Amino acid sequence: MPQFPPFARPVRRLLVVALTGCLAATVAPSVLAQSTAATIRGEATLDAAPAANARVTATNVATGLTRSVNAGADGGYSLAGLPPGEYRVEMVADGRTDSQVVTVQVGQVATLDLATGGLDETATGEVDTQLDTVEVNATALVETRTSEVANYVTQKQIEALPQASRNFLAFADTVPGMQFVSGGESGYSSLRSGAQSSNGVNVFIDGVGQKNYVTKGGVSGQNSSRGNPFPQLAIGEYKVITSNYKAEYDQISSAAVTAVTRSGTNEFGGSFFWDRTSDQWREPTPREEADGAKVPSMEEQYGVSFGGPIIRDRLHFFLTYEAKDFSQPREVRIGEDFTVDQLPEHLRPLVGNNQARFNEDLYFGKLSWQASDSQLLELTAKRREETGLLLDSGINTASRAKTDNNEETRLDLRWQVNATDWLNDAHLTWEESFWNPRSKVIAPGYLLYTWPLDGEGNPQERQILAAGGGADYQDKGQQGLGLQNDFTWYGWSGHTIKVGIKYKQVDVEAFEQQPYNPQFRYDIAGDPTIPYQVDFNASTLTADRRVTSGNKQFGIYIQDDWEVNERLTLNLGVRWDYEETPGFLDYVTDEGIATALRGWGNIADTDYDIEDFISTGNNRKAFKDAWQPRLGFSYDLNADGRHVIFGGAGRAYDRNLFDYLALEQSKHTFPSYQYRFDTAEHPCTVGEGNCVAWDPGWLDPARLEELAAANPNLGAEVNLIDNDLKTPYSDQFSLGMRNVVALGQVDWNTSVTLAHIRSYDGIYFALGNRFPDGSFRDPANPGATWGNQPWGEAIPGYGTLLIARNGIETELDSLLLSLEKPYTADSGWGVTVAYTYSDASENRLNAANSDEHYLFDYPGLDGQPMLASVGISRHRLVTTGIYDAPWGITASGKLTLATAPVRDAVNCFAAVSNDHCFFDPYTPHTGFKQFDIALQKRWDTGTDLSPWVRFDLINAFDWRNWTDFQNDRGGPGAGRADWGTRNGDGILLPTRTFKLSMGFDW
């Protein structure tokens, strides 16, 4: 079978030219994206009167970066665009000075009132009147006067809390409403919020979105990856907003994560770490216990960072590198309760222990140049390379492994300019991200089946083992330039006005062929050298099948954060987004397909109009209605930040994945063929239908291509998309209250929020085939409980028809509770508690997982009921603690408890009254629980060198979180007694695992 080269990657020198051109060009004053920049605002007073025109200056203690403004006539001031960190804020009025030291967090708006002759600070209860400082401490402050439903993850939490993956997003589940999904045997991880899939999430690094435009996962590089999206050493801190974000956030419908990267300072410094675990440091899985031996495995992670000044107070650098080297256990086992000695002799050695390998290299660099007191330029670069072989435990033998490759490069050039009453921030970005899993072995696949009889005496095909070449071959990604500009004006008393614009030119690409290798099926009861069936794609019958599109994205917003008075703040914003996808808009349905569809009597009078799906190249328009009002308020009961009522309502549009849109062009270009061979166990009449005589020559893919050439369209699956395709979105509503409660000498930050989120217009693919009378159910067998769809009624001369349209909806009502005693160096301890109650539903009737987008059991989603969302726990509690023990030891822990997530189930037991089986999700009686602890010892050498050693114990009590349950409720009128009970020994990993880490800082 022919090999297809990967997509051509851009010549890197073109990128250099583009960046150089940008530096040389005359650009309007521009700024740091407001999603990560902090703001300090308040009132300046002189002898208890407004200090009109007082000069207020903030100086970053670590880097020397400065910001200065003049207070207004009412003494009000606002210092915007501050990179998170520690600042000395100084007010000069009438020759007198007040100076405070504060720490601000990513995206935070902190209130700091300045007064000569004394301290008059009215922020959020963090005032220390015994000291001449005010700390808006990154580990202690919860921003109370905001309408966003948001929480922070601090650098201390990232550094101290127990962890296994070094994925900085793993700490996001300490925020109510968030779920970091991991623990599957594949090692994949994703971030999910509410009832929507991970596709609705967007992560902003230094204000730039990391959206995946082609494949799922929400963030580029998170689709089916065992790696991390960003080096953890490079992350300073981040903020998680689960709903009601402000207008500057785009391409999102669930949660926003906004993170800031670390920068070099005026002091040289760095760090090194190495950690390791292996099969000797973990408990066995239930299957390993049954086998009496553990599969050899090893996981190593290591990295280094270094930063410092090139020119003090002006030019700084920061560099980091992180790597992963994994060898993970896998077990090849036989399906359907067969034993090894029942296999054909040549397959027996393939069963048993195996390994899946993975390697990742992550690079990050940053240059920060404060050209003057009013200008800051930053250049950041990230490179990610992943290689490995992916193999899950189960019936797939080692030859079925596929490559596990990801490549990503991102560059961001930022220019920030500030003046007395405005701030402007521009980003010029480049992104290149590709994902290309492929079969390790290029050879025919060997699929072994058995054919047991069901309760009605009908044979059922069940797979036992898979060997030979695998089926996967994909190459998908995105690359292009982007320009975004945010302007903030705070010259109007009480108002902070933000206006932003973004434009991106991104080339998106998708190629796939499945199966890439022909797959031969063998019956274990027959001759192991003669198959009874082959499935393959005719890859040489069409020209280049790569699908590309030069997409253009445009977005604009305006936001007014209006401090009406000392108690009431209104957040009023609106944004509009627009995207052109020429690959979809300009596509012309193949003439042969269009003719066949228009002449197909089965759909002449059915529940849809085929003309709504046939594209002429000029009957599609880009979606222009993505208007998104974002409205919020906060009311400070006592004007001291300690008791604040907040709420909001807003709409947020996401986007349609190009991976889905590309199917319209790609699927029919590699027809799927299925031929049967006349065997003793599976006889057929040679020459009739798809039956041919067996010939060992059919094992040659070229011979199969010749067989397909006689009818090049036979079996070509046709995918068509609604010409009036819309963009998915969510409507969000929230109401809550934040409090700062003093217990003794300790302030606890609390929050309670009621949130309602409804999402609409998710895309799904449904079966377009119909019976000759236009019906979806077999008119000759209307009482069949299941499987009476028109699968055999193919398009004349082609194969199955799938039609895509909008219709997926989710609904979420949630209660979000958080309690936090922030960690401070003075107290030496910190605690967080996050509780989420979720009542989530969806109309994805066959949602085996949250990313499911196929519906084959009903003609469409119109009128279908909202069912419990799969994968969502009704109750979820995450608590963490950090404690500085004596002798330089830091102890930390994380406890996660959750009721069992909802699982899919087919209900045929009640089908007598419903005419057919239906999906009936249920919740198992078992839940999820995991407790992790970490101990770190650091030595004070009396120098800048500080060595340390650390022990992490993941799943300390070795709690088993089971994954295998009986989902079949039984047949009509005869329910299964074991329905809903555990029926296998699969668990979520890890078992109790010890990890050793060591390193040093300097």
Side-chain angles (χ1 to χ4, degrees):
M1 185 162 289
Q3 296 275 356
F4 292 96
F7 291 120
R9 306 294 192 248
V11 180
R12 298 227 191 294
R13 68 171 65 101
L14 295 179
L15 181 58
V16 176
V17 171
L19 289 174
T20 304
C22 172
L23 283 169
T26 300
V27 182
S30 305
V31 324
L32 166 74
Q34 301 307 302
S35 59
T36 56
T39 298
I40 301 175
R41 64 187 181 187
E43 295 182 359
T45 58
L46 176 63
D47 296 330
N53 297 316
R55 189 67 171 173
V56 182
T57 301
T59 303
N60 189 290
V61 174
T63 67
L65 178 143
T66 60
R67 291 281 184 272
S68 296
V69 296
N70 289 333
D74 59 355
Y77 76 93
S78 182
L79 290 161
L82 300 174
E86 187 176 282
Y87 288 84
R88 177 171 293 278
V89 182
E90 184 178 67
M91 180 195 76
V92 178
D94 196 23
R96 285 185 282 177
T97 300
D98 180 33
S99 177
Q100 312 294 333
V101 176
V102 300
T103 301
V104 290
Q105 293 178 283
V106 55
Q108 183 185 38
V109 178
T111 302
L112 176 65
D113 290 345
L114 301 167
T116 58
L119 185 65
D120 182 17
E121 208 281 316
T122 61
T124 55
E126 62 281 359
V127 181
D128 184 351
T129 56
Q130 303 304 312
L131 301 173
D132 191 28
T133 63
V134 178
E135 289 194 4
V136 187
N137 194 290
T139 59
L141 177 65
V142 171
E143 185 181 15
T144 56
R145 296 189 63 175
T146 177
S147 60
E148 295 174 328
V149 183
N151 286 77
Y152 294 92
V153 177
T154 68
Q155 190 172 69
K156 182 65 177 182
Q157 290 173 297
I158 295 174
E159 292 175 349
L161 290 179
Q163 59 172 315
S165 67
R166 291 194 61 85
N167 186 335
F168 80 95
L169 295 175
F171 303 101
D173 66 357
T174 62
V175 175
M178 298 301 297
Q179 182 180 2
F180 183 73
V181 182
S182 64
E185 189 174 50
S186 65
Y188 297 160
S189 61
S190 62
L191 193 63
R192 184 178 183 183
S193 177
Q196 300 176 69
S197 73
S198 59
N199 300 341
V201 171
N202 200 351
V203 174
F204 300 85
I205 304 289
D206 290 335
V208 177
Q210 312 290 298
K211 195 70 173 181
N212 190 338
Y213 301 132
V214 179
T215 58
K216 62 185 182 180
V219 187
S220 62
Q222 280 296 95
N223 178 29
S224 304
S225 171
R226 289 176 280 176
N228 297 338
F230 210 82
Q232 184 170 292
L233 282 175
I235 295 294
E237 58 186 61
Y238 61 96
K239 180 180 181 180
V240 181
I241 312 171
T242 54
S243 66
N244 291 332
Y245 15 80
K246 296 180 183 178
E248 57 257 46
Y249 295 96
D250 65 335
Q251 297 180 341
I252 189 172
S253 60
S254 61
V257 175
T258 177
V260 63
T261 58
R262 296 173 61 188
S263 302
T265 69
N266 281 331
E267 301 294 331
F268 288 105
S271 63
F272 167 80
F273 80 90
W274 170 88
D275 67 44
R276 185 181 192 276
T277 186
S278 73
D279 58 287
Q280 299 177 358
W281 295 352
R282 64 173 176 83
E283 293 297 315
T285 66
R287 289 174 184 140
E288 289 174 327
E289 288 178 343
D291 294 340
K294 287 189 287 187
V295 180
S297 63
M298 180 274 296
E299 296 183 8
E300 284 187 341
Q301 301 176 103
Y302 47 91
V304 62
S305 67
F306 181 53
I310 299 175
I311 303 174
R312 283 185 64 85
D313 293 336
R314 290 299 179 185
L315 182 60
H316 304 89
F317 74 94
F318 181 80
L319 301 170
T320 185
Y321 166 76
E322 290 191 28
K324 288 177 178 283
D325 291 319
F326 287 179
S327 178
Q328 298 168 313
R330 299 293 185 265
E331 180 188 11
V332 179
R333 56 183 182 272
I334 309 168
E336 292 299 314
D337 298 323
F338 275 73
T339 60
V340 173
D341 57 4
Q342 292 176 282
L343 293 177
E345 189 172 351
H346 68 286
L347 295 178
R348 296 174 188 174
L350 304 180
V351 178
N353 293 336
N354 213 311
Q355 291 182 329
R357 300 189 302 277
F358 177 76
N359 304 97
E360 180 185 53
D361 296 294
L362 280 169
Y363 308 86
F364 175 79
K366 184 175 185 178
L367 280 174
S368 304
W369 177 31
Q370 186 175 348
S372 67
D373 288 349
S374 62
Q375 296 194 62
L376 173 68
L377 285 92
E378 288 190 338
L379 176 64
T380 61
K382 168 196 146 182
R383 175 66 179 169
R384 176 185 184 186
E385 298 174 355
E386 296 178 356
T387 59
L389 287 177
L390 178 65
L391 180 70
D392 289 336
S393 293
I395 62 174
N396 286 315
T397 61
S399 65
R400 304 286 292 185
K402 62 183 179 182
T403 60
D404 191 16
N405 297 340
N406 283 286
E407 294 181 0
E408 184 177 14
T409 300
R410 286 185 178 266
L411 302 178
D412 176 19
L413 177 63
R414 184 181 76 194
W415 181 21
Q416 180 179 346
V417 180
N418 71 286
T420 300
D421 54 8
W422 59 264
L423 175 71
N424 206 64
D425 190 2
H427 289 260
L428 176 65
T429 64
W430 166 262
E431 61 190 79
E432 177 188 29
S433 180
F434 280 85
W435 176 71
N436 43 46
R438 306 177 187 182
S439 175
K440 168 190 172 184
V441 173
I442 305 302
Y446 186 110
L447 310 180
L448 187 63
Y449 283 83
T450 183
W451 284 77
L453 300 180
D454 63 13
E456 300 176 0
N458 300 313
Q460 301 293 310
E461 188 179 45
R462 303 288 177 83
Q463 193 168 351
I464 301 173
L465 199 69
D472 214 1
Y473 193 115
Q474 300 185 66
D475 195 356
K476 301 174 180 179
Q478 62 198 55
Q479 56 189 16
L481 286 164
L483 176 64
Q484 66 185 64
N485 189 84
D486 299 272
F487 177 82
T488 304
W489 183 60
Y490 35 89
W492 183 13
S493 179
H495 294 266
T496 299
I497 309 263
K498 304 175 187 177
V499 178
I501 187 170
K502 185 181 81 168
Y503 174 79
K504 295 187 80 171
Q505 171 70 56
V506 180
D507 296 328
V508 290
E509 308 173 343
F511 168 84
E512 68 172 285
Q513 180 179 324
Q514 299 186 57
Y516 184 71
N517 292 311
Q519 304 294 303
F520 288 87
R521 303 189 186 198
Y522 298 78
D523 193 330
I524 193 172
D527 187 337
T529 65
I530 300 179
Y532 64 88
Q533 182 176 303
V534 63
D535 298 271
F536 66 97
N537 290 139
S539 61
T540 62
L541 299 181
T542 57
D544 189 353
R545 291 175 282 109
R546 307 169 195 168
V547 183
T548 63
S549 182
N551 283 21
K552 297 179 177 63
Q553 302 174 2
F554 178 79
I556 189 170
Y557 75 87
I558 182 170
Q559 174 84 34
D560 181 10
D561 295 333
W562 177 19
E563 287 190 274
V564 180
N565 52 47
E566 62 182 358
R567 287 180 169 82
L568 178 63
T569 300
L570 298 179
N571 306 115
L572 311 174
V574 63
R575 73 169 296 118
W576 180 73
D577 289 299
Y578 173 82
E579 181 172 10
E580 289 185 356
T581 305
F584 168 72
L585 299 174
D586 301 337
Y587 173 68
V588 178
T589 304
D590 179 84
E591 184 178 354
I593 294 175
T595 301
L597 289 168
R598 286 173 173 141
W600 189 15
N602 292 33
I603 61 172
D605 184 20
T606 189
D607 56 303
Y608 66 88
D609 185 351
I610 195 61
E611 295 298 333
D612 292 339
F613 299 88
I614 295 177
S615 177
T616 64
N618 57 20
N619 60 343
R620 292 177 172 178
K621 305 297 182 183
F623 185 70
K624 298 183 179 67
D625 295 332
W627 290 99
Q628 301 154 77
R630 312 266 177 96
L631 310 174
F633 79 94
S634 65
Y635 188 80
D636 190 344
L637 295 179
N638 300 319
D640 60 0
R642 300 186 71 87
H643 305 285
V644 179
I645 299 173
F646 66 95
R651 173 167 292 184
Y653 275 89
D654 201 343
R655 58 187 313 282
N656 287 304
L657 294 178
F658 186 68
D659 197 16
Y660 300 166
L661 304 183
L663 295 175
E664 187 175 43
Q665 299 182 54
S666 65
K667 276 295 185 181
H668 70 275
T669 63
F670 52 98
S672 298
Y673 287 81
Q674 185 180 90
Y675 280 91
R676 299 173 60 199
F677 304 114
D678 183 22
T679 66
E681 292 76 22
H682 303 271
C684 61
T685 303
V686 175
E688 292 187 6
N690 63 345
C691 183
V692 298
W694 168 247
D695 180 344
W698 297 131
L699 293 172
D700 182 359
R703 287 284 309 278
L704 294 176
E705 297 281 355
E706 294 172 3
L707 186 64
N711 192 347
N713 289 321
L714 178 65
E717 179 183 294
V718 175
N719 285 236
L720 298 179
I721 301 175
D722 193 335
N723 295 325
D724 189 26
L725 190 69
K726 299 178 176 61
T727 302
Y729 69 97
S730 67
D731 287 335
Q732 306 172 356
F733 308 89
S734 66
L735 181 65
M737 185 172 185
R738 299 187 183 95
N739 298 279
V740 179
V741 180
L743 297 178
Q745 300 297 314
V746 177
D747 275 352
W748 290 79
N749 302 314
T750 70
S751 176
V752 56
T753 307
L754 294 173
H756 174 79
I757 301 174
R758 186 74 183 258
S759 70
Y760 303 88
D761 286 342
I763 189 173
Y764 73 98
F765 287 75
L767 182 63
N769 294 6
R770 294 296 184 267
F771 287 102
D773 67 345
S775 63
F776 184 77
R777 300 289 177 188
D778 187 356
N781 190 19
T785 57
W786 202 248
N788 55 352
Q789 303 98 311
W791 285 106
E793 301 291 333
I795 306 170
Y798 293 87
T800 294
L801 171 64
L802 299 183
I803 55 176
R805 47 192 166 184
N806 301 110
I808 292 179
E809 298 182 10
T810 69
E811 185 172 4
L812 173 72
D813 291 304
S814 61
L815 171 65
L816 312 174
L817 300 175
S818 69
L819 174 68
E820 179 186 19
K821 186 281 172 188
Y823 171 90
T824 62
D826 290 339
S827 69
W829 65 281
V831 172
T832 69
V833 180
Y835 168 77
T836 306
Y837 169 83
S838 301
D839 182 4
S841 58
E842 60 191 7
N843 65 348
R844 291 177 284 205
L845 299 181
N846 60 343
N849 58 70
S850 62
D851 291 316
E852 183 61 63
H853 57 279
Y854 285 103
L855 174 72
F856 294 145
D857 304 290
Y858 297 88
L861 288 175
D862 290 344
Q864 297 298 338
M866 300 290 286
L867 302 175
S869 290
V870 173
I872 303 296
S873 298
R874 176 146 298 202
H875 303 276
R876 183 176 180 85
L877 176 69
V878 180
T879 67
T880 70
I882 301 173
Y883 175 66
D884 289 339
W887 307 299
I889 296 175
T890 298
S892 64
K894 180 181 180 182
L895 173 66
T896 303
L897 301 173
T899 55
V902 175
R903 298 179 63 90
D904 239 6
V906 175
N907 190 336
C908 295
F909 173 66
V912 173
S913 60
N914 288 278
D915 294 332
H916 55 78
C917 303
F918 56 94
F919 288 95
D920 191 8
Y922 74 99
T923 302
H925 296 300
T926 61
F928 177 90
K929 54 184 179 180
Q930 181 170 318
F931 179 57
D932 308 329
I933 58 176
L935 291 173
Q936 179 170 308
K937 163 65 178 176
R938 184 179 293 274
W939 286 270
D940 183 358
T941 64
T943 68
D944 290 337
L945 184 64
S946 176
W948 55 266
V949 64
R950 171 172 168 152
F951 309 98
D952 287 74
L953 191 60
I954 310 299
N955 195 6
F957 297 117
D958 200 26
W959 285 326
R960 301 294 172 88
N961 296 302
W962 303 102
T963 60
D964 298 340
F965 296 89
Q966 177 55 259
N967 296 334
D968 186 357
R969 291 180 182 261
R976 295 184 62 111
D978 62 345
W979 169 77
T981 62
R982 185 167 64 85
N983 66 348
D985 55 7
I987 61 170
L988 288 176
L989 297 177
T991 57
R992 179 167 54 228
T993 300
F994 172 77
K995 186 179 75 169
L996 171 66
S997 306
M998 59 183 65
F1000 50 86
D1001 302 323
W1002 71 92

